[in-house]
Amino acid sequence: MDKKERNAEVIMMPDLASYMQSVMAQLEKDKKRSAVHTYTYTLKSITEFYGGVGKPMPVDEVFTPGKLKEYEEWMKQEGMRKKNETPKGLSLNSISTYMRSLKAVYNRLADEKVLPYNPKLFNDVYTKVESQTKRALAKEQMNALLCTDPKQLPLGIQCALAYFLLMFLFRGMPFIDLAHLRKQDVKGNLIIYNRHKTGRQMAVRIPKEATRLMEEFKNKNPDSIYLFPILDELNKKDEQAKKNSKMKKDKELYLDYQRALRCFNKKLEKLSELLLPGVKLSSYTPRHTWATLAFHAGVSIGIICKALGHSSIKVTETYLKPFENEKVDAANDELIISVSECDGLKKAG
């Protein structure tokens, strides 16, 4: 009887694809579309590793140290596959994203008693979050962008520079928040809005340096609710969405945002080629640059945390951790210089 029960358990063991699809369906209902986006690409990746759609992926086989390590090695060697191109390895950040997504799925399975919980299961694969400070620009680089008139650039990337600068001037505002700003969010010299990620209300004073950019690149469509036309161009194609349910509209809006984000990042690549050759710009750069430059200017981590709308100082510290040692080393240098100026050391020298 026990053997039959064990056999039944093996037969009932869910397939990873079907289980993840059910999780994504629930996340979609909860409007956690960023998580759905990440899970979708994670499932696509591990499905390719297993040989393509339709290949069985029993969860008790997937979630073993050996199989996870095998998947990690595959991602390092040939995880990025494009049509008519030779496969190449994924970045460590992408590998970490997929592994952390699988870890979240595994935790769900363990919570539901489908699989036994092993706290060390992911110890031998890469799940770290690399510091994002490398995405920050130096003060001189940011100054070069601020001193560039967008109108001097090719028409296609003028708005990319304008949005990039506005994100920096608005205290490192994320691109998703800039894209969803509404005209009604501007109240006098303030922008009052809720962060898309956390729902936390933010009140950002509009600096004088941003006024001209806002005027030049604002949404000229009187029927649009958005302050900038980032989403409007894409929404013109989605008349059918108006006839669908509200949930469908929200989903279409999220997909529009993803397309706008990809377009923005592509334009930033061209922008960097023109103004900062060899420097990588992305939608993350303004936010990390603002945080990093504020830190170097002596702004406290608590103020930076509040300015960015982080849920806790711990989140802010992950942005700035690599610079802590730099500050300690600088303080040590100042101390040594001050001590070495004493008469005793001068005579010894």
Side-chain angles (χ1 to χ4, degrees):
M1 184 69 178
D2 290 342
K3 188 178 287 186
K4 287 182 179 179
E5 288 177 355
R6 283 198 295 271
N7 288 338
E9 287 180 3
V10 171
I11 293 170
M12 295 301 293
M13 193 64 67
D15 184 81
L16 180 65
S18 59
Y19 184 79
M20 286 189 69
Q21 285 162 358
S22 68
V23 171
M24 287 187 284
Q26 184 58 52
L27 291 171
E28 185 66 57
K29 286 182 181 178
D30 297 338
K31 298 184 179 180
K32 295 182 178 179
R33 297 195 176 89
S34 181
V36 173
H37 182 77
T38 303
Y39 275 42
T40 299
Y41 280 89
T42 301
L43 180 56
K44 181 176 182 290
S45 173
I46 197 165
T47 298
E48 288 180 353
F49 165 67
Y50 262 87
V53 177
K55 297 289 184 181
M57 294 187 290
V59 293
D60 58 338
E61 177 189 299
V62 174
F63 293 109
T64 58
K67 186 59 72 173
L68 289 172
K69 191 65 181 175
E70 191 180 333
Y71 174 48
E72 180 188 55
E73 291 301 322
W74 177 85
M75 285 193 286
K76 288 179 179 178
Q77 298 299 321
E78 51 183 303
M80 183 181 292
R81 292 167 169 248
K82 293 184 179 180
K83 193 174 181 180
N84 300 324
E85 290 185 18
T86 304
K88 57 183 179 179
L90 291 171
S91 68
L92 284 177
N93 274 348
S94 294
I95 291 172
S96 175
T97 297
Y98 294 160
M99 283 298 184
R100 284 183 286 118
S101 296
L102 287 178
K103 187 174 183 179
V105 172
Y106 169 71
N107 287 338
R108 285 174 177 265
L109 288 163
D111 288 344
E112 294 169 11
K113 309 299 182 186
V114 176
L115 292 175
Y117 179 65
N118 177 3
K120 297 181 179 180
L121 180 60
F122 286 81
N123 281 7
D124 198 32
V125 293
Y126 190 79
T127 57
K128 294 179 182 178
V129 180
E130 285 192 350
S131 169
Q132 303 304 321
T133 50
K134 66 180 181 181
R135 294 175 174 172
L137 298 179
K139 183 178 179 180
E140 296 75 18
Q141 293 170 328
M142 192 64 225
N143 181 64
L145 296 183
L146 284 168
C147 292
T148 300
D149 183 356
K151 295 297 184 182
Q152 296 175 351
L153 298 172
L155 189 63
I157 58 175
Q158 289 180 9
C159 62
L161 175 60
Y163 297 152
F164 186 98
L165 296 179
L166 286 169
M167 290 161 66
F168 176 81
L169 294 169
F170 293 156
R171 300 187 336 210
M173 181 181 287
F175 182 67
I176 192 169
D177 289 343
L178 186 81
H180 287 87
L181 284 180
R182 300 166 300 171
K183 294 173 182 176
Q184 69 183 47
D185 294 332
V186 180
K187 304 183 187 303
N189 70 334
L190 291 176
I191 295 176
I192 300 175
Y193 71 100
N194 293 325
R195 276 204 65 198
H196 205 83
K197 185 175 182 179
T198 63
R200 175 173 295 190
Q201 187 178 82
M202 303 288 289
V204 178
R205 182 177 60 81
I206 301 171
K208 63 181 186 298
E209 292 83 356
T211 305
R212 181 175 63 85
L213 290 170
M214 287 180 67
E215 184 61 29
E216 288 184 8
F217 293 92
K218 68 182 180 182
N219 200 327
K220 304 298 195 296
N221 179 4
D223 296 324
S224 174
I225 64 171
Y226 296 114
L227 184 59
F228 300 105
I230 297 170
L231 298 174
D232 282 349
E233 290 302 313
L234 294 162
N235 284 336
K236 286 177 183 177
K237 308 175 206 173
D238 294 324
E239 292 298 321
Q240 185 61 36
K242 296 177 182 178
K243 301 176 184 178
N244 297 332
S245 65
K246 185 177 186 300
M247 179 180 167
K248 178 67 174 175
K249 288 181 182 178
D250 288 344
K251 183 176 180 180
E252 289 296 330
L253 183 60
Y254 177 77
L255 294 175
D256 278 348
Y257 165 71
Q258 287 295 328
R259 289 192 287 269
L261 177 62
R262 288 193 292 272
C263 181
F264 181 55
N265 280 320
K266 285 180 181 178
K267 289 181 178 180
L268 289 180
E269 287 181 17
K270 296 178 181 177
L271 181 66
S272 65
E273 291 172 5
L274 289 173
L275 301 180
L276 296 173
V279 176
K280 184 176 181 181
L281 298 179
S282 78
S283 60
Y284 293 100
T285 308
R287 187 165 177 81
H288 290 281
T289 298
W290 190 93
T292 302
L293 295 183
F295 181 72
H296 281 305
V299 179
S300 72
I301 291 182
I303 294 296
I304 295 173
C305 173
K306 186 172 182 180
L308 296 177
H310 283 160
S311 56
S312 71
I313 285 180
K314 286 184 178 179
V315 178
T316 312
E317 286 174 341
T318 63
Y319 272 53
L320 305 171
K321 190 174 181 180
F323 293 117
E324 291 175 0
N325 282 339
E326 288 183 19
K327 280 215 162 187
V328 172
D329 289 338
N332 185 48
D333 290 342
E334 289 180 13
L335 177 63
I336 292 171
I337 291 170
S338 67
V339 172
S340 66
E341 288 176 349
C342 71
D343 290 338
L345 282 177
K346 284 182 179 178
K347 290 176 182 177

